Amino acid sequence: DRVVITYKESTDNYVVATVGQVSGTSITWGAETRIGTQHSNNPDICFDSTTNKVVVFYRESASVGTDYGYCAVGTVTGGGTNTISFGTTVSVISSAIRYSSVIYYASTNKFVFLWKEDGSPNEGIAICASMDPDYGGGTIESFGTAVEFSSAGANYLKRGTFYDPDSERVIACYQDNTDDGFACMIQNTTSNTLVAHTPVEFEAGQSYYVAACYDTTNNKGIVMWRDGQDSNYLKA
């Protein structure tokens, strides 16, 4: 019964997490907990409803390799003190990345990590992994083979990716290198294997700040973006 947020703390450039307790229309926040090393950024977070843990996926910078992808498992502790502890950070990808995103794949109890390669042609990449909730307070392990879901760019993945519990698929909505908007269905087939299906275009040109979510009442996905071809209006 808590909320957990994660962000880059600008004073000393750590990725941190903070636990909040809702009471009426107010939130009481606990202390910041650092994740990884200094000069980290671009965190995303998801909740594992099976183990009641969170997973944070972020970029490590100077100390371990410029903008490499790392993750850590967090457990909310302390009851009313609103604290969180993290297990050892784990390498997801040993190359520079952008737009890190992590999704809990509820039907198979897996995690899907997505990112854009920070180098031409900026492919969109996804990889599946499992969690051991008991080892060291929780750790991510058993990574599958990375799959490419976009051959030319994948911007705004952090807000543009969601899990569809009805079709049991991850949907990645993004802007490619030509500014077109695409959505790609990613499926966890067996073990930690992913299959990326053919992307579908939802906007031809200048699709900025893509965000998406899932409506569990109507069983539909909703994608929104700023339309640079139409006075920067918000479209859905």
Side-chain angles (χ1 to χ4, degrees), residues 57-221:
F57 180 34
Y58 62 98
R59 298 192 305 178
E60 290 269 22
S61 294
S63 65
V64 295
T66 303
D67 294 334
Y68 288 4
Y70 277 74
C71 68
V73 176
T75 306
V76 175
T77 58
T81 60
N82 296 327
T83 57
I84 189 168
S85 62
F86 283 89
T88 303
T89 58
V90 174
S91 173
V92 178
I93 175 67
S94 296
S95 63
I97 66 170
R98 301 178 72 85
Y99 298 107
S100 50
S101 177
V102 58
I103 299 291
Y104 177 57
Y105 205 116
S107 61
T108 59
N109 196 28
K110 307 289 185 182
F111 298 87
V112 178
F113 298 86
L114 307 97
W115 64 88
K116 183 184 85 168
E117 290 284 329
D118 193 12
S120 182
N122 309 123
E123 302 98 322
I125 303 294
I127 196 169
C128 188
S130 305
M131 179 196 292
D132 182 342
D134 300 317
Y135 181 79
T139 188
I140 298 297
E141 60 181 11
S142 303
F143 287 89
T145 301
V147 299
E148 178 185 288
F149 62 86
S150 172
S151 61
N155 297 328
Y156 311 119
L157 286 171
K158 181 185 297 188
R159 298 287 171 260
T161 304
F162 63 88
Y163 176 69
D164 173 350
D166 293 291
S167 68
E168 299 180 354
R169 306 287 191 271
V170 167
I171 311 298
C173 303
Y174 57 92
Q175 175 207 63
D176 74 356
N177 288 342
T178 64
D179 295 341
D180 292 356
F182 282 91
C184 182
M185 182 174 68
I186 300 170
Q187 181 180 1
N188 179 208
T189 53
T190 59
S191 185
N192 290 333
T193 300
L194 295 178
V195 173
H197 297 272
T198 302
V200 176
E201 186 174 69
F202 62 80
E203 177 63 71
Q206 300 190 36
S207 307
Y208 301 109
Y209 303 107
V210 177
C213 67
Y214 191 68
D215 175 351
T216 57
T217 299
N218 296 295
N219 301 337
K220 303 290 185 182

